[in-house]
């Protein structure tokens, strides 16, 4: 159909089709002049009963093509060739099914979602949503928003996300390996830091990230000052589980006694604990258990001193986590157990200092104490540190941040390629989600159970998403969006190894070494 004969309404909008069948306040089925694209937006007309026309934004969740000559119930194999011979495609029809999201005018003008409470009339027109309307909804600027990509079905429409909503209501980024998860993290971190002056703490489990925010990247060694070790972090590092009642009691006593001099000679804190333990061993009944704790403490110092626990580590939080930077903790060289302690340590420290800052600000103190700016914390490979089948220190503090962090400006972002192994309670408390390609049905259903807005139709889209395509849900975006994430220009790992190139590089290296060595082989005399 030529552009001159396309049907347009009086508002110069293109009519895509008309509503058919029964309608509801949340879903409509409509005919279409061409197959609707799943994930695209349409405008549903509400008319009649003396009301002026009003438009609602809806997202296409299913698209069908039918042919009355080839219905499943009646067609025989030989009918197909006959229908094709007689021009059967001439009677094909297109059907779309869409979910109504909000009145378009309130959404475009104020960003407020206002859902219709009554259904549109059958026969009412359905318009294709044009770029101008969609830009007002998805490309809003200011107010703590950063661009993340473009709409998949409307590539001329940028999409921004509300960072305030991410920090206050938390975020999960979920995808299979190779779907664009690390790139998504990189784009968000870069723009939050460089466009908004935000502060990020990223716990990098596999040392994948380079200068993700350019010159505003700050790499942090995964080290803890001995004077800052909490009692429960010591329990974890010394392998004193809850059943070791006596050993934990003795260490607690020594720890409490040593606390009095903790900040007088901070580098001596662990030695002070040892001295207090030795005092406790003077009591005969304590001697065997104290000896066991002292041996574990010696083992701890042998294994972790200078590698993880060192007096060279920052004792001031602002030295470790620099405001206005992407602070990346490189955890690739430590065990999962140590990573658990390090992540807990800094998350716990951040939350405590943000609480102190907010409290002292409210008291009107001249110079507020504590950490001065809000922080978004990002945990890569979150299923390792927040597993669903066992307790960890990180899971405990992450849960606390999920519940309390919004009051103090500490946000949580969980990144995982195995959602099914991630703690469900932690996942369900991330009200915003960026879901890239997910193939495994168990992962899909697990994510859906932890999300209030992931419909069955959107769930069906997950296995077919291309690399870098994602479904955005939650308060960070006004309505669900199917987005092509921008490509980060920074150095980010996480990509697949090109195996044949690695093999060829190794073969060439061995050949070169062999050729160089042959030059120096002495030939025997005749």
């Amino acid at each position: 159909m030529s552009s001159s004969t396309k049907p347009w309404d009086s508002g110069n909008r293109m009519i895509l089709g008309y509503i058919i069948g029964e309608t509801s306040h949340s879903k409509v089925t409509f005919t279409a002049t061409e197959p609707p694209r799943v994930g695209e937006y349409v405008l549903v007309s509400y008319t009649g009963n003396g009301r002026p026309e009003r438009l609602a934004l809806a997202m296409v969740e299913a698209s069908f093509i039918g042919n009355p000559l080839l219905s499943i119930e009646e067609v025989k194999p030989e009918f197909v060739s006959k229908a094709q011979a007689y021009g059967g495609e001439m009677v094909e029809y297109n059907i779309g099914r869409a979910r109504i999201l909000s009145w378009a005018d309130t959404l475009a003008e104020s960003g407020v979602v206002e859902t219709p409470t009554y259904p549109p009339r059958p026969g009412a027109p359905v318009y294709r949503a044009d770029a101008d309307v969609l830009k007002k909804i998805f490309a809003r600027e200011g107010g703590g928003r950063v661009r993340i990509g473009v709409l998949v079905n409307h590539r001329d429409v940028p999409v921004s996300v509300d960072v305030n909503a991410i920090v206050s209501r938390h975020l999960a980024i979920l995808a299979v390996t190779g779907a664009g998860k690390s790139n998504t993290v990189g784009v968000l971190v870069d723009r939050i830091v460089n466009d908004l002056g935000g502060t990020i703490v990223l716990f990098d489990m596999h040392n994948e990230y380079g200068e993700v925010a350019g010159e505003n990247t700050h790499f942090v060694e995964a080290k803890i000052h001995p004077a800052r070790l909490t009692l429960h972090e010591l329990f974890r590092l010394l392998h004193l589980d809850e059943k070791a009642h006596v050993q934990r009691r003795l260490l607690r006593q020594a720890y409490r006694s040593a606390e009095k001099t903790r900040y007088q000679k901070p580098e001596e804190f662990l030695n002070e604990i040892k001295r207090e333990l030795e005092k406790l061993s003077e009591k005969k009944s304590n001697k065997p258990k104290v000896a066991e704790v002292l041996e574990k403490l010696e083992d701890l110092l042998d294994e972790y001193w200078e590698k993880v626990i060192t007096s060279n580590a920052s004792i001031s939080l602002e030295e470790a986590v620099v405001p206005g930077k992407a602070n990346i903790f490189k955890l690739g060289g430590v065990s999962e157990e140590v990573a658990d302690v390090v992540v807990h340590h800094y998350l716990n420290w951040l939350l405590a200092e943000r609480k102190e800052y907010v409290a002292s600000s409210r008291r009107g103190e001249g110079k507020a104490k504590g950490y001065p700016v809000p922080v978004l914390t990002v945990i890569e490979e979150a299923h390792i540190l927040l597993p669903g089948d066992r307790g960890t220190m990180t899971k405990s503090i992450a849960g606390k941040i999920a519940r309390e962090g919004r009051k103090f400006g500490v946000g949580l972002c969980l990144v995982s390629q195995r959602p099914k192994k991630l703690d469900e309670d932690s996942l369900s408390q991330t009200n915003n989600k960026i879901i890239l390609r997910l193939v495994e049905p168990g992962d899909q259903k697990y994510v859906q159970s932890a999300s209030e807005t992931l419909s069955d139709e959107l769930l069906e889209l997950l296995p077919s998403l291309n690399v870098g395509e994602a479904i955005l849900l939650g308060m960070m975006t006004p309505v669900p969006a199917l987005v092509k994430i921008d490509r980060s220009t920074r150095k980010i790992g996480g990509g697949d190894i090109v195996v044949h190139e690695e093999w060829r590089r190794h073969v060439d290296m061995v050949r070169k070494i062999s050729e160089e060595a042959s030059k120096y082989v002495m030939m025997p005399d005749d």
Side-chain angles (χ1 to χ4, degrees), residues 12 49 62 72 113 151 165-166 214 235 241 244 298 321 342 387 433 523:
N12 205 32
N49 296 329
I72 294 175
V113 174
L151 292 176
I166 289 175
F235 286 160
D241 60 30
E298 290 293 345
V321 178
V342 170
K433 291 180 175 63
M523 298 299 293

Side-chain angles (χ1 to χ4, degrees), residues 497-508:
I497 292 175
V498 183
V499 176
H500 74 278
E501 290 183 2
E502 293 285 325
W503 285 337
R504 174 51 57 193
R505 191 177 297 113
H506 177 72
V507 169
D508 290 345

Side-chain angles (χ1 to χ4, degrees), residues 50-287:
R51 298 188 185 97
E53 182 182 47
R54 194 176 185 189
L55 301 175
L57 184 76
M59 177 190 246
V60 176
E61 294 188 329
S63 181
F64 308 94
I65 299 177
N67 190 320
L69 300 178
L70 299 172
S71 62
I72 294 175
E73 292 81 8
E74 300 175 5
V75 72
K76 296 180 180 179
E78 60 268 24
F79 286 2
V80 177
S81 56
K82 289 181 180 180
Q84 291 172 339
Y86 288 104
E89 68 276 5
M90 299 296 291
V91 293
E92 287 180 353
Y93 57 87
N94 305 302
I95 298 290
R97 190 168 64 238
R99 178 180 296 275
I100 298 172
L101 303 171
S102 173
W103 290 118
D105 52 358
T106 57
L107 193 56
E109 291 167 11
S110 61
V112 175
V113 174
E114 184 184 348
T115 309
T117 55
Y118 59 95
R121 298 174 66 87
V126 174
Y127 307 105
R128 189 184 299 282
D130 57 71
D132 289 340
V133 171
L134 295 174
K135 284 177 182 177
K136 290 178 181 177
I137 295 170
F138 292 102
R140 302 176 76 87
E141 297 180 351
R145 304 185 72 86
V146 296
R147 172 177 162 143
I148 193 170
V150 296
L151 292 176
V152 167
N153 290 306
H154 306 268
R155 296 297 175 105
D156 55 343
V157 178
V159 177
S160 63
V161 291
D162 184 349
V163 176
N164 291 312
I166 289 175
V167 174
S168 64
R169 292 296 186 271
H170 314 301
L171 170 66
I173 300 175
L174 310 169
V176 298
T177 302
K181 191 169 69 281
S182 298
N183 177 72
T184 302
V185 173
V187 168
L188 268 178
V189 169
D190 184 11
R191 290 175 183 170
I192 289 173
V193 171
N194 290 308
D195 294 357
L196 300 180
T199 301
I200 301 285
V201 171
L202 195 162
F203 296 104
D204 184 2
M205 290 294 289
H206 297 308
N207 295 354
E208 289 182 343
Y209 293 90
E211 294 185 348
V212 69
E215 62 183 14
N216 285 320
T217 306
H218 175 235
F219 294 103
V220 189
E221 292 187 10
K223 294 185 177 182
I224 300 172
H225 195 289
R228 293 223 51 91
L229 278 168
T230 69
L231 178 60
H232 286 278
E233 287 165 357
L234 270 175
F235 286 160
R236 178 88 162 104
L237 290 171
L238 295 176
H239 308 287
L240 295 178
D241 60 30
E242 292 181 357
K243 295 178 182 178
H245 302 294
V246 177
Q247 291 180 347
R248 285 166 73 108
R249 175 176 57 78
L250 291 167
L251 181 60
R252 184 179 289 107
Q253 284 181 250
Y255 183 93
R256 298 298 182 216
S257 298
E259 265 192 312
K260 298 169 187 174
T261 58
R262 181 196 290 240
Y263 295 111
Q264 294 173 11
K265 294 182 178 179
E267 67 281 354
E268 284 291 308
F269 184 56
L270 289 180
N271 285 329
E272 187 65 27
I273 291 175
K274 286 171 64 177
R275 284 191 283 270
E276 292 296 334
L277 282 169
E278 286 164 357
K279 288 180 186 178
L280 290 172
S281 69
E282 292 172 3
K283 187 176 180 180
K284 192 174 181 180
S285 60
N286 288 338
K287 202 172 189 69

Side-chain angles (χ1 to χ4, degrees), residues 185 189 200-209 220-222 317 321 326-332 338-350 375-382 385-386 394 397 401 411-415:
V185 173
V189 169
I200 301 285
V201 171
L202 195 162
F203 296 104
D204 184 2
M205 290 294 289
H206 297 308
N207 295 354
E208 289 182 343
Y209 293 90
V220 189
E221 292 187 10
L317 185 57
V321 178
N327 299 276
I328 301 179
F329 282 77
K330 295 290 190 181
L331 299 173
V338 172
D340 182 34
V341 172
V342 170
V343 175
H344 169 272
H345 182 84
Y346 283 94
L347 289 181
N348 189 55
W349 196 1
L350 271 168
V375 181
L376 176 62
T377 62
V378 183
I379 303 177
E380 266 280 6
E381 302 292 341
L385 297 178
L386 291 88
T394 299
I397 187 61
I401 289 173
L412 186 67
C413 174
L414 305 179
V415 185

Side-chain angles (χ1 to χ4, degrees), residues 199-491:
T199 301
I200 301 285
V201 171
L202 195 162
F203 296 104
D204 184 2
M205 290 294 289
H206 297 308
N207 295 354
E208 289 182 343
Y209 293 90
E211 294 185 348
V212 69
E215 62 183 14
N216 285 320
T217 306
H218 175 235
F219 294 103
V220 189
E221 292 187 10
K223 294 185 177 182
I224 300 172
H225 195 289
R228 293 223 51 91
L229 278 168
T230 69
L231 178 60
H232 286 278
E233 287 165 357
L234 270 175
F235 286 160
R236 178 88 162 104
L237 290 171
L238 295 176
H239 308 287
L240 295 178
D241 60 30
E242 292 181 357
K243 295 178 182 178
H245 302 294
V246 177
Q247 291 180 347
R248 285 166 73 108
R249 175 176 57 78
L250 291 167
L251 181 60
R252 184 179 289 107
Q253 284 181 250
Y255 183 93
R256 298 298 182 216
S257 298
E259 265 192 312
K260 298 169 187 174
T261 58
R262 181 196 290 240
Y263 295 111
Q264 294 173 11
K265 294 182 178 179
E267 67 281 354
E268 284 291 308
F269 184 56
L270 289 180
N271 285 329
E272 187 65 27
I273 291 175
K274 286 171 64 177
R275 284 191 283 270
E276 292 296 334
L277 282 169
E278 286 164 357
K279 288 180 186 178
L280 290 172
S281 69
E282 292 172 3
K283 187 176 180 180
K284 192 174 181 180
S285 60
N286 288 338
K287 202 172 189 69
K289 291 298 181 182
V290 168
E292 291 175 13
V293 177
L294 283 169
E295 185 177 351
K296 288 177 181 289
L297 199 55
E298 290 293 345
D299 290 342
L300 170 71
L301 293 173
D302 288 344
E303 186 173 0
Y304 295 130
W305 187 253
E306 295 300 340
K307 297 176 185 175
V308 179
I309 302 165
T310 170
S311 54
N312 292 324
S314 299
I315 201 162
S316 161
L317 185 57
E318 284 187 61
E319 290 178 12
V321 178
V322 181
K325 301 276 187 181
N327 299 276
I328 301 179
F329 282 77
K330 295 290 190 181
L331 299 173
V334 301
S335 67
E336 290 180 13
E337 179 184 62
V338 172
D340 182 34
V341 172
V342 170
V343 175
H344 169 272
H345 182 84
Y346 283 94
L347 289 181
N348 189 55
W349 196 1
L350 271 168
L351 183 60
E353 289 226 357
R354 282 299 299 163
K355 284 183 175 181
E356 187 176 15
Y357 181 85
V358 171
S360 63
S361 297
R362 286 172 181 165
R363 290 193 298 267
E365 297 178 3
K367 184 176 180 351
K369 300 174 183 176
Y371 195 76
V373 294
V375 181
L376 176 62
T377 62
V378 183
I379 303 177
E380 266 280 6
E381 302 292 341
H383 54 276
I384 295 175
L385 297 178
L386 291 88
D389 58 353
R390 57 189 170 83
T392 63
M393 298 191 75
T394 299
K395 187 158 76 172
S396 174
I397 187 61
K400 194 172 183 181
I401 289 173
R403 293 187 302 272
E404 304 176 9
R406 66 183 183 84
K407 302 180 220 173
F408 306 104
V410 182
L412 186 67
C413 174
L414 305 179
V415 185
S416 178
Q417 63 192 23
R418 295 302 310 274
K420 192 169 63 174
K421 292 185 176 292
L422 184 57
D423 177 55
E424 187 174 11
D425 185 51
S426 301
L427 181 59
S428 66
Q429 292 187 79
T430 57
N431 297 130
N432 301 290
K433 291 180 175 63
I434 299 176
I435 310 172
L436 296 101
R437 188 169 183 241
L438 280 179
V439 177
E440 209 274 312
D443 282 336
Q444 296 171 20
K445 285 295 183 184
Y446 190 77
V447 171
Q448 188 182 36
S449 69
S451 173
E452 297 176 357
T453 52
L454 184 59
S455 65
D456 289 339
E457 290 81 4
L458 288 177
L459 190 73
E460 290 175 2
L461 270 180
L462 295 179
S464 60
L465 293 177
N466 296 314
V467 174
E469 293 180 355
I471 296 171
L472 271 58
L473 304 168
M475 296 176 67
M476 66 181 176
T477 178
V479 291
L482 183 58
V483 175
K484 173 68 176 176
I485 306 294
D486 287 340
R487 187 71 187 163
S488 175
T489 58
R490 309 292 189 182
K491 184 181 177 183

